[in-house]
DNA sequence: AAAGCGTTTATTTTT
DNA sequence: TAAACGCTTT
């Protein structure tokens, strides 16, 4: 690709962002401004035009998804010319460095990576070891505090310097014990991956120099989401050549609670005084009305680097405000709009997203979607790697890979049940303590120890079982050095008879399918030598939250949180719960900094939309078990009235529901003069057109458009309707209650 | 081990 | 409200 080709499709600031390759560059990229485009073109330019070897380039992203996206776009642009550049998440890049340089950096390269669940177990144990009652100190809260400290590169010693209260003292104490537990398990948590890399490189000049020499061009995506360690890392690596290009949008910084530090962007210009700052403000995604609304919302933030979006796109539809009585009606009105869109505006269900602040809000929506038979997809749910069966198998493999890993050992020691209950476990722990080792090592000592000695700690029965298990562990550990990943996987599964075990559990068949899916991931590492393949396999699954290959259900409305929506775009966006205490969330109301983050969240939501935005609110809603009346969100008032689609005058409502009575009396709207009161369109009261209402009874087989086939469990009258409980065959969905007149249930004959 | 019971608590989540 | 947790009981 020639230079002209590469640059011809870029606007002037984009072009500048691509061509300014010497020295530090800060790119402030608004939503939909072609950020990924700029990064990929910049890399292609470096390689194709300037002849930089890809080997000298590092591009860092936050999520695997972003890394994949970048990789595929880069390949489309520059082909295989760029294939050996370093492109990955911060964590993946750090793991590579740690495994490769581990010995020199004082790290055993055979470490395992602990995820949140493993971490929590260690923290709980640490709290107990510190002689504290876990009831008084939420392990989760302490873990977040530890994680926050690590994100700022603070050791327990350094943290203890800045203790301000009792809680901090507890954190320091637990952090110390937690740190040594990790070390004794030869494990690193996610924060360690970053912190140990930075500290290791800082302490080892020779290695640091090598990496500085290697990475002559560094690019960082989503820079507003970086924490201090991450910034330190790229600062360090770029110190020699100083070709560091960071791309981000402070207005889309919504992860401060995860230690993302907006100061990184602000300090960037201080740390690199010769920085070239480039603004990407032209938006290619949304209509003018949408951009106007989004800009109005974000402009109310005080602490902000000013940036003004503009677009050449058409004006488009106005923003629509939807006001409902409660969350149920809100859901119905959303569905009402959705059917109008899909019926007459050639919008597909998959083009639509419904965004919410908290996961709890999805419930009312889901119920309505089920009721009205609208296909939807809820992003949440249990992640693949969080499923019990997957965690079981991975724990076995981690234990095999890392003989010091007691957390994994304890997870699987009695799965499937092999008679190692609480009693036996306690005996093992006593024994471990007496020898000054962790459980895993204690177990491994059993086969070769004197039986007489062991009987001081163990009953004859426990000893027999533990010895057998210890021998099993040693056997599979040996096997791991001899056979490749897939064979190890298969032999393990058959040795522990996992299939029989899991199939006998509830939803066993599905769980077994998941195991097979994991097996197919293991298969991908079968080319590699035994130990190496296992290491690579474990690493890949530890650093990936979900298989996110499994998504992509055919044409369904997307239900997702505002946070999850970042980086995505949809033709049509609904934001529900546009109320005080919901968005902005009540936990942010009295903190100006957090309030600004809520506003950014709203901004992120609006800017996801290409053509239509609906802002929805309910007059009253059930929150934490009681009904609250909330004012409309202050963010609605930020948007100029002329961007809304209806006249701002009060109309008489047509219905006589409790809702319209409320509107007629106008009580609590008095204080909300800026919020228009609108004519309400009654929710669709007629059920959606029926296929045909079948006569059903328990035992019949039925088919549902979305859930597939299932068997009727019960049928009971409910008002004028009938409530049918169906057990569906499918993967995840099992039992649903459906209103007969709404669900499009089709009876399957001969049942 | 599993089931039953009272208690507590309730943003956002990737790696 | 309702889910998750820890405790006791079967």
């Amino acid at each position: 690709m020639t230079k002209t080709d590469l640059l011809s499709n870029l606007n002037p600031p984009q072009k500048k962002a691509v061509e300014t390759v010497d020295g530090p560059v800060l790119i402030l990229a608004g939503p939909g401004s072609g950020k990924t485009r700029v990064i990929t073109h910049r890399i292609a330019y470096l390689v194709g035009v300037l002849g930089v070897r890809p080997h000298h380039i590092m591009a860092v992203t936050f999520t695997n998804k972003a890394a994949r996206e970048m990789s595929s776009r880069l390949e489309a642009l520059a082909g295989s010319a760029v294939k050996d550049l370093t492109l990955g998440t911060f964590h993946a890049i750090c793991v590579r460095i740690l495994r490769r340089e581990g010995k020199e950096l004082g790290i055993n390269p055979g470490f395992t990576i602990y995820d949140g669940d493993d971490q929590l177990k260690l923290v709980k144990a640490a709290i107990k070891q510190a002689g504290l009652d876990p009831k008084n100190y939420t392990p989760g809260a302490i873990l977040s505090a530890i994680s926050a400290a690590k994100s700022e590169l603070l050791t327990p010693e350094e943290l203890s310097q800045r203790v301000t209260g009792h809680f901090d003292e507890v954190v320091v104490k637990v952090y110390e014990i937690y740190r040594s537990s990790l070390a004794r398990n030869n494990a690193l948590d996610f924060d360690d991956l970053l912190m140990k890399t930075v500290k290791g490189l800082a302490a080892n000049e020779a290695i640091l120099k090598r990496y500085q020499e290697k990475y002559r061009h560094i690019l960082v995506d989503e820079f507003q989401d970086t924490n201090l360690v991450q910034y330190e890392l790229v600062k360090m690596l770029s110190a020699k050549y100083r070709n560091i290009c960071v791309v981000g949008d402070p207005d889309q910084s919504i992860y401060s609670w995860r230690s993302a530090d907006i100061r990184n962007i602000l300090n960037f210009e201080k740390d690199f005084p010769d920085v070239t700052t480039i603004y990407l403000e032209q938006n290619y995604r949304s209509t003018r009305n949408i951009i106007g609304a989004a800009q109005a919302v974000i402009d109310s933030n005080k602490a902000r680097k000013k940036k003004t979006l503009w677009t050449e796109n058409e004006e488009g539809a106005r923003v629509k405000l939807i006001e409902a009585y409660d969350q149920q009606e809100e859901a119905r009105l959303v569905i009402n709009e959705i059917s109008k869109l899909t019926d007459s505006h050639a919008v597909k269900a998959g083009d639509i997203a419904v965004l919410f602040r908290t996961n709890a809000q999805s419930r009312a929506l889901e119920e309505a979607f089920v009721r009205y038979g609208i296909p939807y997809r809820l992003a949440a749910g249990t992640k693949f790697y969080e499923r019990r069966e997957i965690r079981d198998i991975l724990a076995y493999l981690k234990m095999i890979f890392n003989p010091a890993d007691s957390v994994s050992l304890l997870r699987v020691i009695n799965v499937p049940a092999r008679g190692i209950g609480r009693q036996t476990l306690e005996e093992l722990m006593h024994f471990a303590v007496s020898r000054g080792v962790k459980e895993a090592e204690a177990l491994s000592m059993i086969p070769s120890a004197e039986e007489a000695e062991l009987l001081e700690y163990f009953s004859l029965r426990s000893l027999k079982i533990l010895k057998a298990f210890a021998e099993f562990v040693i056997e599979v550990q040996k096997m791991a050095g001899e056979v490749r990943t897939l064979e190890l996987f298969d032999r393990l599964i058959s040795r522990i008879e996992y299939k029989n075990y899991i199939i006998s559990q509830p939803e066993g068949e599905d769980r077994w399918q998941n195991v097979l899916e994991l097996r197919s991931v293991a298969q991908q590492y079968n080319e590699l030598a035994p130990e190496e393949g296992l290491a690579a396999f474990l690493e890949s699954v530890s650093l990936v939250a979900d298989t996110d290959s499994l998504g992509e259900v055919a044409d369904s409305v997307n239900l997702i949180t505002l946070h999850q929506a970042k980086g995505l775009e949809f033709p049509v966006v609904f934001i529900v719960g546009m109320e005080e205490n919901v968005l902005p969330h009540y936990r942010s109301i009295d903190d100006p900094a957090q309030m600004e983050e809520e506003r950014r969240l709203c901004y992120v939501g609006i800017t996801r939309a290409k053509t239509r935005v609906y802002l929805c609110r309910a007059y009253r809603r059930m929150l934490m078990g009681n009904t609250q009346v909330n004012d409309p969100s202050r963010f609605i008032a930020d948007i100029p009235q002329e961007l809304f689609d209806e006249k701002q005058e009060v109309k008489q409502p047509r219905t006589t529901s409790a809702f319209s009575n409320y509107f007629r009396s106008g009580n609590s709207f008095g204080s909300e003069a800026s919020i228009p009161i609108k004519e309400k369109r009654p929710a669709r009261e007629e059920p959606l057109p029926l296929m045909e209402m079948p006569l059903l009874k328990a035992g019949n087989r039925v088919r549902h458009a979305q859930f597939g086939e299932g068997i009727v469990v019960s049928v009971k009258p409910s008002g004028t309707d009938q409530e049918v409980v169906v057990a569906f065959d499918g993967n995840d969905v099992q039992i649903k209650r459906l209103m007969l007149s709404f669900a499009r249930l089709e009876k399957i004959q001969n049942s």
Side-chain angles (χ1 to χ4, degrees):
Chain A
M1 173 160 289
T2 69
K3 180 172 173 177
T4 349
D5 286 344
L6 258 178
L7 298 176
S8 61
N9 292 322
L10 301 174
N11 69 33
Q14 287 178 336
K15 209 174 283 178
K16 190 171 181 204
V18 168
E19 288 180 307
T20 313
V21 295
D22 289 320
V25 178
L26 169 63
I27 302 173
L28 296 166
S33 65
K35 178 187 67 151
T36 309
R37 196 145 197 264
V38 163
I39 298 178
T40 51
H41 280 246
R42 190 179 158 100
I43 294 171
Y45 182 83
L46 283 168
V47 176
V49 178
L50 301 179
V52 174
R53 283 176 58 202
H55 162 80
H56 287 308
I57 302 173
M58 172 196 273
V60 204
T61 61
F62 255 80
T63 62
N64 292 297
K65 197 176 163 202
R68 269 199 308 276
E69 158 99 5
M70 198 163 298
S71 167
S72 74
R73 285 179 62 175
L74 199 53
E75 199 185 312
L77 187 68
S80 56
V82 292
K83 84 171 185 302
D84 65 336
L85 90 163
T86 302
L87 194 168
T89 64
F90 276 103
H91 297 266
I93 289 173
C94 286
V95 169
R96 258 170 71 168
I97 296 177
L98 289 175
R99 291 248 195 256
R100 196 165 298 168
E101 319 294 342
K103 284 208 181 88
E104 306 288 320
L105 301 179
I107 286 171
N108 179 341
F111 63 85
T112 30
I113 300 168
Y114 275 2
D115 63 19
D117 209 67
D118 300 326
Q119 293 180 59
L120 213 52
K121 283 191 179 146
L122 239 40
V123 168
K124 277 182 193 159
I127 292 173
K128 275 189 207 144
Q129 273 182 62
L132 301 161
D133 188 349
K135 271 183 221 147
N136 302 331
Y137 306 97
T138 348
I142 294 183
L143 179 57
S144 325
I146 293 174
S147 172
K150 288 186 170 188
S151 304
E152 308 223 319
L153 285 165
L154 297 173
T155 60
E157 295 74 25
E158 289 161 337
L159 186 65
S160 72
Q161 301 294 299
R162 40 174 99 179
V163 162
T164 56
H166 174 65
F167 180 75
D168 290 352
E169 274 171 36
V170 172
V171 170
V172 169
K173 235 185 199 171
V174 176
Y175 182 6
E176 262 169 12
I177 300 170
Y178 172 73
R179 178 178 60 176
S180 73
S181 312
L182 280 170
R184 297 223 290 167
N185 285 292
N186 190 18
L188 301 186
D189 66 17
F190 286 122
D191 301 308
D192 283 341
L193 298 177
L194 307 171
M195 184 161 118
K196 301 265 182 196
T197 306
V198 168
K199 295 221 161 185
L201 290 176
N204 196 316
E205 218 184 324
I207 296 180
L208 175 60
K209 276 199 167 141
R210 238 171 51 228
Y211 281 94
Q212 287 175 335
E213 199 56 48
K214 175 168 165 63
Y215 294 121
R216 300 182 185 181
H217 293 273
I218 296 180
L219 294 96
V220 186
D221 189 20
E222 304 281 15
F223 190 60
Q224 77 282 350
D225 289 340
T226 50
N227 61 28
L228 197 103
V229 196
Q230 290 161 337
Y231 184 36
E232 280 304 318
L233 179 74
V234 292
K235 233 179 355 190
M236 224 164 150
L237 290 176
S238 63
K240 169 143 195 227
Y241 285 92
R242 304 185 79 253
N243 297 322
I244 176 171
C245 171
V246 300
V247 187
D249 181 2
D251 289 336
Q252 290 183 70
S253 160
I254 55 176
Y255 284 110
S256 70
W257 51 276
R258 232 167 55 186
S259 305
D261 198 331
I262 199 145
R263 284 173 301 178
N264 288 165
I265 285 202
L266 306 174
N267 287 340
F268 194 79
E269 293 181 306
K270 279 191 211 137
D271 292 338
F272 300 93
D274 54 334
V275 66
T276 307
T277 302
I278 297 166
Y279 285 81
L280 301 181
E281 297 173 295
Q282 180 174 2
N283 174 289
Y284 295 95
R285 177 186 296 152
S286 316
T287 63
R288 283 217 305 280
N289 278 329
I290 292 171
I291 293 302
Q295 187 73 47
V297 167
I298 202 67
D299 273 340
S300 302
N301 268 359
K302 299 275 184 299
R304 160 178 129 84
K305 237 176 169 28
K306 205 163 165 54
K307 190 154 47 46
T308 306
L309 297 183
W310 60 279
T311 182
E312 286 173 354
N313 292 342
E314 60 180 24
E315 188 177 340
R318 306 239 174 134
V319 176
K320 196 157 179 177
L321 186 63
I322 293 184
E323 303 186 283
Y325 177 64
D326 60 12
Q327 61 220 328
Q328 279 74 27
E329 195 190 37
E330 180 184 55
R332 278 200 302 276
L333 293 175
V334 167
I335 284 171
N336 197 26
E337 290 295 335
I338 288 176
S339 357
K340 277 198 278 176
L341 289 166
T342 51
D343 289 352
S344 58
H345 290 275
V347 177
K348 286 185 300 168
D351 292 337
I352 301 168
V354 184
L355 312 183
F356 37 84
R357 175 68 238 260
T358 63
N359 287 305
Q361 290 171 261
S362 71
R363 172 179 275 267
L365 291 164
E366 265 194 281
E367 281 169 1
F369 276 82
V370 169
R371 203 173 136 95
Y372 287 94
I374 310 255
Y376 69 93
R377 181 171 78 139
L378 187 68
T382 328
K383 304 268 173 38
F384 185 72
Y385 291 111
E386 283 167 16
R387 288 165 203 267
R388 208 183 62 224
E389 61 278 15
I390 300 304
R391 295 192 53 99
D392 285 347
I393 304 295
L394 290 177
Y396 268 107
L397 292 171
K398 281 182 176 177
M399 171 192 83
I400 291 167
F401 176 71
N402 173 7
D405 185 348
S406 293
V407 172
S408 296
L409 169 74
L410 291 176
R411 178 176 181 97
V412 299
I413 197 164
N414 202 31
V415 178
R418 49 176 70 89
I420 305 179
R422 214 180 62 198
Q423 181 65 36
T424 310
L425 230 41
E426 245 158 54
E427 291 170 14
L428 178 63
M429 283 173 197
H430 274 138
F431 177 63
V433 170
S434 80
R435 299 293 160 111
V437 296
K438 291 285 248 186
E439 294 83 352
E441 202 183 338
L443 183 77
S444 74
M445 290 160 82
I446 290 179
S448 54
E450 284 292 326
E451 186 153 320
E453 259 176 75
L454 292 172
L455 286 172
E456 286 174 31
Y457 299 94
F458 299 101
S459 74
L460 209 56
R461 188 198 98 103
S462 319
L463 189 57
K464 213 175 127 200
I465 304 173
L466 283 176
K467 200 168 169 186
F469 187 67
E471 279 162 357
F472 158 75
V473 173
I474 291 164
E475 177 199 325
V476 285
Q477 278 167 348
K478 185 155 165 275
M479 196 193 294
E482 294 161 355
V483 307
R484 297 189 177 203
T485 313
L486 191 61
E487 191 176 341
L488 179 70
F489 190 99
D490 288 339
R491 288 217 215 165
L492 171 72
I493 299 291
S494 86
R495 268 302 253 107
I496 61 179
E497 299 178 69
Y498 199 76
K499 184 174 181 185
N500 285 337
Y501 162 73
I502 203 69
I503 283 191
S504 68
Q505 305 274 312
E507 302 150 52
E509 203 43 66
D510 290 340
R511 290 180 185 276
W512 175 244
Q513 288 307 314
N514 290 332
V515 173
L516 291 181
E517 202 176 319
L518 183 66
R519 182 182 184 273
S520 74
V521 179
Q523 196 159 20
Q524 295 165 20
Y525 294 87
N526 219 31
E527 304 288 300
L528 301 171
E531 293 278 9
E532 205 185 325
L534 179 57
F537 171 58
L538 286 176
E539 199 166 294
S540 75
V541 297
S542 300
L543 294 178
V544 170
D546 51 77
T547 49
D548 48 29
S549 49
L550 76 175
E552 305 324 306
V553 181
D555 200 30
S556 315
V557 176
N558 301 282
L559 306 187
I560 47 179
T561 64
L562 285 158
H563 283 90
Q564 291 169 327
K566 202 182 74 156
L568 306 177
E569 61 176 30
F570 303 92
V572 179
V573 166
F574 291 82
I575 304 179
V576 297
M578 288 293 298
E579 298 138 43
E580 291 290 301
N581 298 318
V582 178
L583 180 66
H585 194 268
Y586 70 96
R587 304 274 292 249
S588 305
I589 293 280
D590 45 16
D591 178 338
Q594 286 202 64
M595 180 57 77
E596 298 222 329
E597 184 146 319
E598 296 290 311
R599 186 174 270 106
R600 292 194 289 269
L601 207 42
C602 184
Y603 174 75
V604 166
I606 295 172
T607 54
R608 297 310 92 197
K610 293 174 158 179
T611 63
R612 284 170 199 276
V613 168
Y614 295 81
L615 302 180
C616 316
R617 72 170 186 102
Y619 157 63
R620 47 177 270 177
R621 130 175 2 246
M622 182 82 94
L623 288 169
M624 285 182 225
N626 53 23
T627 302
Q628 275 189 38
V629 174
N630 293 313
D631 286 341
S633 169
R634 64 190 72 190
F635 306 143
I636 294 177
D638 288 338
I639 301 173
Q641 297 204 350
E642 61 270 21
L643 294 182
F644 283 102
D645 79 326
E646 280 172 34
K647 297 267 166 6
Q648 309 301 308
E649 56 195 84
V650 183
K651 289 185 187 168
Q652 275 307 309
R654 287 203 221 109
T655 61
T656 53
S657 63
F659 175 66
S660 53
N661 285 333
Y662 154 74
F663 269 92
R664 201 168 289 151
S665 67
N667 39 15
S668 80
F669 281 98
S671 60
E672 306 152 12
S674 65
I675 304 306
I677 297 169
K678 297 196 187 310
E679 175 187 4
K680 293 309 305 173
R681 185 175 288 103
R684 188 195 297 232
E685 266 146 27
E686 294 298 312
L688 291 173
L690 300 176
M691 310 283 281
E692 165 184 337
M693 201 182 292
L695 269 174
L696 292 177
K697 59 173 199 270
N700 286 345
R701 284 197 69 76
V702 289
R703 184 179 293 121
H704 183 275
Q706 191 193 354
F707 301 124
E709 292 187 16
I711 191 156
V712 175
V713 176
S714 69
V715 181
K716 70 169 187 196
S718 166
T720 59
D721 205 348
Q722 286 184 313
E723 183 187 275
V724 192
V725 178
V726 186
F728 288 102
D729 305 339
N731 286 330
D732 263 317
V733 192
Q734 313 92 28
I735 294 185
K736 293 274 169 188
R737 274 166 206 285
L738 304 162
M739 298 307 279
L740 191 53
S741 60
F742 290 117
R744 302 178 192 199
L745 282 178
E746 193 186 330
K747 187 171 168 184
I748 299 174
Q749 292 311 312
N750 305 325
S751 55

